[in-house]
Amino acid sequence: MIGPVTTQKSPRSPQAGTPSLLRAINDRAALELLLANGPLSRTQIGSLTGLSKPTASQLLARLEAAGLVVPVGTTAGGPGPNAQLYQVNPAAGYVAGLDVTSTTVRVAVADITGVTLAEHQVSCKGWPAATTVERVAEAVAETVRRAQLPAGSLREAVIGIGGAPDPATGKLRYASHLPGWHSPRLLEELATAIGAPVSIENDVNLAAVAEQSVGAAAGCEDFVLLWAEEGIGAAIVLAGRLHRGFTGGAGEVGYMPVPGAPVSLNSRRKHSGGFQDLAGEPAVLALARAHGLRGADAAQAVAAALDAPEGEAFLAELAERLAVGLAVIASVVDPELVVLSGGTPTAGGERLRELVQQALGRMSIPRPEVRLSALPGSPVLAGALQRALASSRDALFSTR
């Protein structure tokens, strides 16, 4: 009887990296060092990367020939001859970031080093839906002109918007308040009109990207960003990566059932129950009026409370409302950190942050640290630029 035939595989030796792969790794490491540390000499790059002087020289010559680095003067004041300094070439690429709301479109253009060259804002109130793509492209083109760049200079544009593209269909969900942004060919139309690849990301997710890159969550891999303004939203970052969910709707907490708010029995109705009815702008304004405070919007009412005798009670109740929703999120996600962003908590400053921290500590077993957004200007716009820069650098800095 013949037993089963077995095939013995010969053991495979680990494969060493190819010269081209090693060059690409070294090139990328040097470019990242130059971005983080500013102009560096050949000797400094060699010391920081562990490369020999000849290898560092070859690397810099290769990157300069590719237009990725440029010489920018020499060292001075040390012993011996002055050394040539190099930096990443700002003109190696340009990107655009957009922050789109129901009333405005903000645009910023930055060079590949992350320096913002120009910003521009236009009102989109009353835009006919059919003209959305054309007018967005005009706003981008105007920003490019203000940056003193020729048309066609952009490598990529990232748009932050109050909705989420469905990963399966590409259709924009949760954005019924934004007419003109629901074409099945939206990305293709925008890319053609703008003259560069375009991607769309949820605006609160982009605020979290910005906080993680250069803001209050820098160095933190597990955090939640709570956005409170006209609406309520959240972004969830786990193990350093955005969690978008199966349909792209992770963080759409406006309809989340919470104590103290009516439960929505019709999720298709706008602002019908849930966390939005507890801490969205209409609820904040109603709460402010009940405490004798006024404001054209939630941020103004919260800011007025900081200096009003009756303001402390209002802020304490608002903090408890925000903490109710955060306690629900924290019980599921257990984040290291919560970042408060958007006009409402930003207007409340350190006092509102402190009250939210105290209220969350009373309600929740997980007790993450609560921080305020550390970003000036629009966090969404900053996040859009960060996302566009990361993608463009990945493409540009791949030198193999």
Side-chain angles (χ1 to χ4, degrees):
M1 180 175 177
I2 301 175
V5 177
T6 60
T7 302
Q8 185 174 1
K9 295 183 178 180
S10 58
R12 296 182 61 185
S13 300
Q15 297 295 305
T18 63
S20 61
L21 174 60
L22 294 175
R23 282 196 300 270
I25 292 171
N26 291 337
D27 289 354
R28 181 62 184 259
L31 289 164
E32 295 291 350
L33 282 170
L34 287 168
L35 283 172
N37 298 289
L40 296 172
S41 68
R42 178 197 63 180
T43 300
Q44 290 171 322
I45 290 173
S47 175
L48 290 169
T49 59
L51 299 175
S52 66
K53 287 184 179 180
T55 301
S57 294
Q58 293 169 5
L59 176 153
L60 285 168
R62 187 165 58 248
L63 295 179
E64 187 174 3
L68 295 177
V69 303
V70 289
V72 286
T74 59
T75 59
N82 294 342
Q84 180 69 63
L85 293 172
Y86 294 86
Q87 70 174 24
V88 172
N89 182 7
Y94 303 95
V95 300
L98 289 81
D99 175 10
V100 174
T101 71
S102 59
T103 59
T104 60
V105 174
R106 299 180 182 91
V107 188
V109 169
D111 65 37
I112 202 66
T113 70
V115 174
T116 299
L117 304 177
E119 293 190 26
H120 180 46
Q121 177 175 317
V122 295
S123 171
C124 58
K125 277 188 173 181
W127 277 8
T131 68
T132 294
V133 169
E134 175 188 353
R135 296 197 182 195
V136 168
E138 288 173 355
V140 173
E142 174 60 25
T143 315
V144 170
R145 283 193 291 271
R146 294 186 181 198
Q148 299 182 353
L149 299 173
S153 295
L154 297 178
R155 290 189 62 90
E156 185 167 355
V158 172
I159 300 174
I161 199 166
D166 188 308
T169 65
K171 183 180 179 181
L172 192 65
R173 298 162 59 90
Y174 316 104
S176 59
H177 60 298
L178 295 169
W181 290 88
H182 299 275
S183 165
R185 298 183 61 252
L186 179 65
L187 288 180
E188 300 170 41
E189 293 167 355
L190 285 168
T192 299
I194 291 173
V198 173
S199 60
I200 291 178
E201 177 63 88
N202 174 261
D203 53 0
V204 182
N205 281 350
L206 288 178
V209 168
E211 296 290 353
Q212 188 180 29
S213 299
V214 294
C220 182
E221 293 202 336
D222 289 88
F223 71 94
V224 169
L225 181 139
L226 181 70
W227 182 276
E229 210 164 75
E230 181 180 354
I232 292 280
I236 301 167
V237 176
L238 301 174
R241 299 174 65 88
L242 274 171
H243 178 70
R244 293 182 174 83
F246 182 68
T247 66
E252 293 290 338
V253 298
Y255 299 110
M256 180 175 68
V258 292
V263 176
S264 172
L265 299 179
N266 182 1
S267 62
R268 294 183 180 277
R269 286 183 56 204
K270 185 178 180 182
H271 303 331
S272 57
F275 198 14
Q276 173 69 27
D277 275 7
L278 196 65
E281 185 167 73
V284 174
L285 288 172
L287 179 63
R289 287 193 294 271
H291 285 272
L293 299 165
R294 293 289 184 272
D297 55 27
Q300 287 188 16
V302 170
L306 294 173
D307 299 318
E310 62 273 29
E312 184 68 9
F314 161 74
L315 291 173
E317 188 170 347
L318 174 58
E320 288 199 355
R321 292 187 179 195
L322 292 171
V324 164
L326 285 171
V328 175
I329 298 169
S331 68
V332 176
V333 179
D334 189 17
E336 174 188 353
L337 175 69
V338 168
V339 177
L340 300 178
S341 189
T344 301
T346 301
E350 176 58 23
R351 182 55 184 152
L352 181 58
R353 183 213 64 80
E354 181 182 28
L355 290 168
V356 172
Q357 181 81 77
Q358 293 170 359
L360 183 59
R362 293 192 297 269
M363 296 179 195
S364 175
I365 292 176
R367 295 175 180 177
E369 180 185 355
V370 178
R371 296 180 188 170
L372 275 175
S373 170
L375 298 172
S378 165
V380 177
L381 195 58
L385 285 176
Q386 288 292 329
R387 179 53 55 84
L389 285 167
S391 176
S392 295
R393 286 170 183 169
D394 279 343
L396 272 172
F397 296 176
S398 298
T399 57
R400 273 202 296 166

